[in-house]
Amino acid sequence: MLYTKATVITMDASRRIIDNGAILVRGKNIADIGKTDVLVSKYPDEDRVDLQGRIIIPGLINIHMHTAQTLLRGTADDLELVSWLCERIWVLQGHFTPEDGYAAARLSIAEMLKSGTTCFLESMFADRYGFYGLCRAVADSGIRGCLAKIVMDTGSYAASSAWAMHPGLVEDATSLDKTLAEHSRWDAAAAGRIRVWFGARTPGGVSDALYRAMMAHSEKRRIPVTMHCAEVSADRDFFAGLGPDRGGPHTPTSYCDAVGLLGPRTVLVHMVHLDDEDVARVAASGTHVAHCPSSNAKLASGVARVPALLAAGVNVGLGTDGAPCNNTCDMLAEMRLAGVVHKAREADPTVVPAETVLEMATINGAKALGLDGDIGSLEVGKKADFAVIDTRKVELRPVFSPASVVVYAASGRDVEMVVVDGKVLVDGGELTTMDEQEVWEEAQWRGREVVERAGLSGEVTGRWPRE
């Protein structure tokens, strides 16, 4: 298939943007790319899709999200973090069934695909959600998924007893063995679209010994790791409070280094509360960072030092986090905030420009997942993973800089087509492998059932009276 007459943002090494560009897809891969007239001349008998007035970008890569939490969208708005987590989200998640986990995964994937995401990193899938259902949802939908199953052995978080995990979510050290079993069963499944990761709980939820055991398996079997770190000030206090018996006091990164977590197969999430030494240690180790500006802002966690991380050479990608702390899985919305918030924090409108944001959402994300040889840019030989944005709209015109339009003006609702592995998964804004109405209708009633089982029906309806 020959996709023609579009503006193509390649994200290749030279960051070429091809006006009146075309992409030839053969099977799962990009077979050629260039000017439309050149490719039409070379392949006159190829079927064509006319994309005049559109921008083609590499498929967006969401390197931090919680698929289960999409079923809980809007259930914990405008709460401070302890209440948000311990009185709402953990309680609700502690009442999930595997059927709920499957429905939540389908809802998440449908939303991600419709808004241009072609690959995602599920950060910490609990055993009770049903890992089989998550893998089945990825396989059937056609999306690309790196799926991190939880590793934990402690039901606490940070140093305070107030941060107690709901009993329905607590797992023991056998969580490592269960993740290894799922890795053996599912890694490279769905024609290579599924990758299984370790999803370690935040420090305070995993013993030092279990971290070290997990990292030994990571090294031996080349299994990547993702973990929340330094999201809130309480995390930094926790590390500083560790005694000499644990090598403390620590900073976030000195602790991660001590238990073997730092390295090029690790994605650390949020990383808001870092000092200069932390930034340098992350850079030197090759550890990747998932930046989630909407979540950090909505939960008042702070603003990550992204300009400093980038200046130090750290590979920073983007994540939406879960729907209760963002309310959307739309990476284009996340991109806009990533391009704006640091300008305000630094009082410098030149930091984190649109082009840098696009790198974070595409090729940087691919590097973080170890998949940049296959995805993240539009180049001959790479997978045919891309999204098409329809700019034939008043809110997106005029177009001077394609990168500016994508980052500062477009939203997920402007995505017209999504292709993964050469297969069209969204066409005309509609899903081709999923029944959207069925997905959202099931999510609606299953979400209500979870809330009722948790005894929170009267707590999640908002602040104003309803009749």
Side-chain angles (χ1 to χ4, degrees):
M1 183 65 68
L2 189 58
Y3 298 87
T4 64
K5 299 183 182 179
T7 298
V8 181
I9 302 178
T10 66
M11 300 308 299
D12 65 9
S14 64
R15 302 298 191 256
R16 287 185 305 156
I17 297 177
I18 307 171
D19 292 320
N20 193 23
I23 299 174
L24 176 66
V25 174
R26 292 270 172 84
K28 298 180 180 180
N29 298 95
I30 296 172
D32 208 347
I33 186 168
K35 289 286 191 180
T36 291
D37 56 352
V38 174
L39 266 62
V40 167
S41 177
K42 287 172 69 175
Y43 311 102
D45 298 324
E46 193 73 33
D47 290 338
R48 301 175 202 167
V49 177
D50 186 334
L51 294 178
Q52 188 169 15
R54 283 79 150 189
I55 296 173
I56 301 178
I57 61 174
L60 300 174
I61 300 172
N62 184 346
I63 67 167
H64 182 68
M65 75 95 58
H66 299 261
T67 53
Q69 289 185 359
T70 309
L71 204 64
L72 308 178
R73 191 193 323 263
T75 59
D77 290 336
D78 310 319
L79 297 175
E80 56 81 29
L81 188 58
V82 174
S83 299
W84 180 90
L85 191 60
C86 301
E87 297 174 12
R88 290 285 178 88
I89 300 306
W90 277 347
V91 175
L92 291 166
Q93 290 178 158
H95 286 84
F96 263 53
T97 66
E99 292 76 20
D100 298 326
Y102 175 60
R106 295 179 73 214
L107 182 66
S108 301
I109 290 167
E111 182 182 357
M112 285 191 287
L113 284 174
K114 282 174 63 71
S115 53
T117 292
T118 57
C119 182
F120 72 99
L121 173 56
E122 156 61 51
S123 63
M124 202 165 55
F125 205 77
D127 197 51
R128 72 174 301 126
Y129 306 155
F131 197 74
Y132 169 83
L134 173 62
C135 294
R136 177 183 161 204
V138 170
D140 292 347
S141 68
I143 201 169
R144 203 176 298 280
C146 297
L147 312 178
K149 192 171 186 307
I150 196 166
V151 175
M152 66 169 293
D153 59 357
T154 306
S156 61
Y157 172 45
S160 172
S161 59
W163 300 76
M165 202 171 200
H166 186 273
L169 288 177
V170 175
E171 299 184 36
D172 59 25
T174 62
S175 59
L176 176 58
D177 296 326
K178 291 176 181 178
T179 302
L180 289 169
E182 298 295 3
H183 183 272
S184 297
R185 185 176 298 117
W186 286 103
D187 193 62
R193 288 185 289 105
I194 292 176
R195 300 290 179 179
V196 178
W197 285 43
F198 290 127
R201 274 205 67 214
T202 311
V206 183
S207 65
D208 297 356
L210 188 58
Y211 275 133
R212 291 190 174 102
M214 178 185 70
M215 294 313 298
H217 285 289
S218 174
E219 179 66 25
K220 180 179 179 180
R221 301 177 64 169
R222 318 299 285 179
I223 302 174
V225 177
T226 188
M227 185 187 78
H228 298 67
C229 187
E231 179 179 4
V232 294
S233 57
D235 288 326
R236 192 165 189 94
D237 294 341
F238 168 79
F239 293 120
L242 295 176
D245 60 319
R246 299 180 68 179
H250 277 293
T251 69
T253 60
S254 71
Y255 176 80
C256 289
D257 195 22
V259 296
L261 280 162
L262 297 186
R265 283 193 303 278
T266 296
V267 175
L268 294 180
V269 184
H270 300 303
M271 299 294 274
V272 175
H273 296 275
L274 306 181
D275 61 23
D276 290 344
E277 182 180 324
D278 288 316
V279 171
R281 190 178 281 113
V282 171
S285 65
T287 305
H288 310 277
V289 170
H291 177 40
C292 306
S294 293
S295 172
N296 296 158
K298 188 164 183 265
L299 291 176
S301 300
V303 180
R305 297 179 61 193
V306 168
L309 289 164
L310 292 171
V314 176
N315 182 54
V316 180
L318 281 180
T320 59
D321 210 341
C325 55
N326 185 331
N327 298 61
T328 176
C329 304
D330 182 350
M331 277 284 285
L332 284 159
E334 202 68 26
M335 289 162 67
R336 186 178 193 281
L337 184 57
V340 170
V341 68
H342 301 289
K343 294 170 170 53
R345 187 179 189 274
E346 302 290 327
D348 180 356
T350 69
V351 300
V352 195
E355 290 81 0
T356 298
V357 175
L358 258 176
E359 290 174 336
M360 292 164 66
T362 56
I363 192 64
N364 288 13
K367 290 175 181 176
L369 303 183
L371 298 175
D372 51 307
D374 290 324
I375 62 174
S377 62
L378 302 176
E379 302 181 65
V380 173
K382 283 196 169 186
K383 298 293 187 184
D385 287 19
F386 56 84
V388 177
I389 296 172
D390 188 351
T391 65
R392 301 171 302 170
K393 303 177 179 182
V394 292
E395 64 269 24
L396 300 181
R397 291 288 173 155
V399 176
F400 296 107
S401 162
S404 172
V405 170
V406 172
V407 172
Y408 294 131
S411 76
R413 292 178 177 85
D414 300 311
V415 173
E416 177 184 17
M417 178 181 290
V418 175
V419 176
V420 177
D421 259 356
K423 182 177 181 180
V424 177
L425 305 184
V426 176
D427 194 8
E430 301 295 327
L431 296 163
T432 65
T433 59
M434 308 173 77
D435 182 329
E436 183 175 351
Q437 182 170 343
E438 177 193 356
V439 168
W440 69 254
E441 285 183 347
E442 181 178 7
Q444 180 68 30
W445 67 262
R446 284 199 181 277
R448 289 190 178 279
E449 282 196 350
V450 170
V451 169
E452 290 171 4
R453 286 197 299 271
L456 293 175
S457 296
E459 307 296 325
V460 302
T461 57
R463 288 171 168 77
W464 291 345
R466 295 177 64 179
E467 297 181 359

